[in-house]
Structures are given as C-alpha cells and as structure tokens.
Amino acid sequence: MPKRLDSALIATCSDILDESGEAIRHNSPAWPMMDYFSRRCRTLALLELSLPRKGMVCRPQLSLFENGRRTAFKTWGPLATRPFLVAEGEAGPRTYMRLKVRDLLACLWAAQAFNRRYDLFIGVESLLAILGGMLRKLRLVDESVYYISDWSPWKFSNKALNRVYLEMDKAACRLSSHIWNYTYAIADARRDILHFDDSKFGQQHWVPFGFIPDGVAIPPDSAVDLNRLVFCGGIGPENGLDVIVEAMPAIRAALPEIRLDVLGDGPDLPRLKARAEALGVGGAVTWHGYVTDRRRILDAQLGAGLALAPYAPLENSVKRFGDVIKIREAIGCGLPIITTEVPPSHREVREKNLGRVIEYSPEALTGAVVELLSDPAAYFAVRANVVAASRENLWDNIYGRTLAAMGYGPGPA
C-alpha cells in the first residue's frame, strides 16, 4: 500500500526571505520545493540557511505551512546569531566552519521547534543530509532525503578539503533513506570514478532541474523564427561560444539570414566580439550582455529557432555532472537544442530527439544547424518532441514522480 506523506521538514541552503521579510528569487530548488510541498503536505516546516554571499541572511529562518498557508515563522535573535555572522565584505563562495556549526545547531532546533515528528526530511547538500540521517535515528523523522545538485568529484582544488567533501558525500549517502541526484552522472561517478560501494547507500533517484514558466507560453510553430539562434550563459572557456563564433561564417554562407542573440558576460567577451568582427559576422550577432531579468531571458528564447549549448570537453569540467540550467530552460521554452556530450542532459537530447548532440567543433556545429534549419518538416518534428518534454520538465511533475518512486501515494498537489 502506498505511504502517506502528511508532513515534511526541509532544510535548504538558500534564502527565501530577506532580513525585512521580502521574498528573494533565485535559481535554487528552494522556491519550487516550498511551493510543491506546502500544497502536497498538510504540514511543512521549511528551514532557510543562507550560503555566504553579499546580502546573505546569517540567521536561520524557519517557516511553518499548514494546509498551504504560512502559519508561523521563527528565527534566532541577535545574540544567538552573533557567533555566526559573516561581515558583508567578507562573504563569498568559500567554506566557513562557523556556518557549518550554525547549520548543525539550526537543524536540531528546527526539528523540535513545532513539537512534532515528520514523515519526511529533505536536506539540500551533504551536511544537512547527514543531520537528517541523525534525526531519523533519533526518531524525529521517518525517512530522510539527500538532495544534491552542485556536485563534482573534483569540486575543490585543495586536495584535503576535497577529500573531506567526498567523505561527507559518502556519509550522507549511507545515512539517507533516499538520494536525489540532479543527474544520473552523479551516481555513475560515485561508483565508477570514486569507487564508492553504493550497495550501502539509500535508494538513488534522478531528480533533474525543473522549469518555472513564470507566466510564459510556448508559441505555436507559426511564430517560430528559423533565422534566429540563441546562446545564454557565461562567456568563458567551458560554454562553447568560441565554437559558435567560428561557425557563424559557414552557417551564414548556407543560411544568409541567420542571426545570433548572445545573452551573457564573461572574461572572453571582448575577444569574441573582436573575433566576430574579424570574421565578418559582427553585424549578425546581438550582444545583450549580462541579463538579470529572467523574463527577458525566457522571451529571448521563445520563438527562436535553436538554442546553442556546445560545452567544451574540458577534463575536469563540473558541467559533466551538473544539470545545466540553460538546457532545461530551452526545453521549457520549446526550443530545440544543439549541445555536446559534456552535460549529462545530452542523453535526453539524443534519446528523445530534442535537437542534436555534436562533437566540439565549428564544422560539427555548422552541420547540425544547417541540417535542422534547412528542413522545416524535420525541424518541427523535433520541436514537437521538445514541447512534449517541456511538460515533463515542470517541478510538480518531477517531484510527483520521484515521490511515487519512493512509495508515496498521490497527494493533493
């Protein structure tokens, strides 16, 4: 008989509310988890633990949702928070031991704050998942989940720190009832690269990054501009804009009306702008720069012909293990994709015929673009596959099928 999921405790590494109580929007799964589980469960306790960054909220923040409504909010006062403060100018992407201690204490505090036991605990990243395993042993939760997104066997250049990181990952896998990996490549790497004995792990699930429509609708085929290509992302060695710029003359020789929209910034931007001019395609490229408005990013993709994501095959690229957001966003916008075998999502692109998977070269990119855009019937058959996949790629569907695989019955969400 399917299990019931009436209550959950989620510990995230993200802010949802700032110091003044205003909502903070970002790309982490914290928002979709809050939205989904506050509807799915009668009771949801959500613990926010900010990562070190400019404007971070150092204090833990705990919200209680009952029947979809926020009914209580708890946090630590100034005295309790003071030992864990990170100065505004000091905050940045590094490891702070005092914040790890904060997270440990906050998790124990949150588990008892509302005097109840929870059916499910979800800990985002390894330390919180380890604490979830401890809560399960203390019978404060029935099952625990290790939810992992930003993972790599080579995450830290410091070998000692990387070893600690991997040992914590292993411990979280062993202590958790279930492991939610953003990509299948994470489970494969634990087994094949790190040689972890996964027979001692909790049940592993593939839980990809979902798409939040934000009110956009995929346009009909008649509104698609087959002469427009889109690149979104950082302009650096990993993301492949070099190959796109080098391919543009040959693409335009076959398809003279082709234009390229580039949304992003990075260290290689000046060089690639100059290279586009030198190749005589500068007038066919629109450089939008760094765009913070997500709706603008989605609008740029809606109705375009192709999304280009030709990741470079760098040996230690973290893209080999992560679920790259740009491909998920393209699918959500109904946009066929050209990518390489670097990101794990290339497997979906190939198996579901959502675009083309190519070698990392200007020639291969040119061939794929010209093949797809020169044959409208073939192109729109691929686009139909992408539109179908976009429905599977919504957060509600992702979380729903994952919970079903864990043995939970359908809920109200």
Side-chain angles (χ1 to χ4, degrees):
M1 177 175 293
K3 298 175 289 189
R4 291 187 57 175
L5 182 58
D6 287 329
S7 60
L9 169 59
I10 298 175
T12 77
C13 294
S14 303
D15 301 324
I16 292 177
L17 302 176
D18 64 17
E19 291 280 4
S20 65
E22 292 295 318
I24 303 172
R25 282 288 180 181
H26 43 63
N27 284 330
S28 87
W31 274 100
M33 275 198 295
M34 180 182 73
D35 177 62
Y36 179 83
F37 285 94
S38 65
R39 290 182 283 114
R40 173 71 186 251
C41 302
R42 289 194 177 94
T43 303
L44 168 67
L46 181 66
L47 175 63
E48 305 167 45
L49 297 164
S50 179
L51 291 171
R53 59 168 181 79
K54 185 178 181 180
M56 69 177 292
V57 181
C58 285
R59 69 189 185 195
Q61 301 187 138
L62 180 64
S63 296
L64 180 69
F65 296 84
E66 295 175 293
N67 299 315
R69 293 177 56 250
R70 191 193 303 266
T71 57
F73 177 80
K74 295 186 177 185
T75 188
W76 291 0
L79 287 177
T81 307
R82 185 177 299 164
F84 310 106
L85 290 175
V86 178
E88 183 74 12
E90 180 190 350
R94 46 176 288 206
T95 301
Y96 296 81
M97 288 307 300
R98 61 184 178 275
L99 292 182
K100 300 300 183 185
V101 175
R102 177 205 64 178
D103 295 352
L104 188 155
L105 296 174
C107 227
L108 295 174
W109 163 71
Q112 302 177 73
F114 298 116
N115 298 313
R116 64 159 301 132
R117 179 172 174 162
Y118 296 92
D119 297 327
L120 184 66
F121 173 91
I122 302 173
V124 179
E125 307 300 346
S126 60
L127 176 62
L128 300 179
I130 290 169
L131 295 171
M134 293 169 54
L135 296 177
R136 186 160 61 96
K137 291 182 180 297
L138 293 171
R139 300 182 182 275
L140 295 174
V141 301
D142 292 336
E143 288 195 295
S144 63
V145 168
Y146 174 22
Y147 196 175
I148 181 67
S149 57
D150 182 17
W151 188 95
S152 167
W154 314 290
K155 186 173 179 64
F156 297 100
S157 57
N158 181 300
K159 291 185 177 180
L161 185 59
N162 201 61
R163 172 49 55 190
V164 171
Y165 164 77
L166 294 176
E167 288 299 324
M168 289 180 65
D169 176 70
K170 184 194 297 184
C173 289
R174 287 180 171 176
L175 288 169
S176 300
S177 316
H178 300 271
I179 304 155
W180 290 5
N181 298 314
Y182 258 18
T183 69
Y184 66 86
I186 296 175
D188 291 349
R190 288 191 183 110
R191 182 189 63 244
D192 300 334
I193 296 176
L194 301 175
H195 305 295
F196 288 171
D197 181 1
D198 57 10
S199 68
K200 299 179 180 178
F201 291 175
Q203 183 181 356
Q204 300 200 63
H205 306 265
W206 172 45
V207 186
F209 196 89
F211 178 71
I212 302 173
D214 272 349
V216 304
I218 296 175
D221 287 355
S222 59
V224 173
D225 183 353
L226 292 179
N227 289 315
R228 192 158 66 84
L229 310 175
V230 177
F231 170 91
C232 298
I235 301 177
E238 281 192 323
N239 291 337
L241 187 57
D242 298 66
V243 161
I244 298 171
V245 170
E246 295 296 329
M248 279 296 287
I251 293 172
R252 282 180 58 81
L255 304 167
E257 301 301 316
I258 280 289
R259 307 180 309 281
L260 171 66
D261 284 315
V262 176
L263 289 83
D265 198 356
D268 291 348
L269 178 59
R271 176 178 63 81
L272 291 176
K273 275 187 174 182
R275 181 60 177 161
E277 292 293 337
L279 290 171
V281 296
V285 182
T286 301
W287 306 89
H288 296 269
Y290 181 63
V291 180
T292 58
D293 183 345
R294 181 169 181 266
R295 184 57 187 263
R296 274 190 62 197
I297 297 171
L298 297 181
D299 285 344
Q301 297 180 83
L302 292 164
L306 293 170
L308 305 183
Y311 290 98
L314 305 180
E315 182 179 0
N316 291 337
S317 173
V318 297
K319 306 295 185 184
R320 295 184 183 277
F321 308 101
D323 198 29
V324 292
I325 295 176
K326 75 165 72 176
I327 291 180
R328 295 294 167 196
E329 298 275 73
I331 294 172
C333 292
L335 189 56
I337 305 133
I338 296 179
T339 189
T340 60
E341 291 189 342
V342 173
S345 48
H346 85 269
R347 184 182 291 182
E348 288 172 82
V349 174
R350 179 176 282 151
E351 292 177 353
K352 296 180 180 180
N353 192 19
L354 307 180
R356 295 292 181 266
V357 179
I358 61 169
E359 294 181 356
Y360 183 74
S361 73
E363 295 77 18
L365 180 61
T366 300
V369 170
V370 173
E371 176 216 341
L372 281 170
L373 298 185
S374 297
D375 185 347
Y379 170 85
F380 285 111
V382 170
R383 186 173 191 264
N385 296 335
V386 179
V387 173
S390 71
R391 292 188 285 270
E392 302 172 7
N393 199 41
L394 298 173
W395 280 111
D396 276 20
N397 294 336
I398 291 168
Y399 288 140
R401 63 177 179 255
T402 302
L403 291 172
M406 292 166 57
Y408 290 100

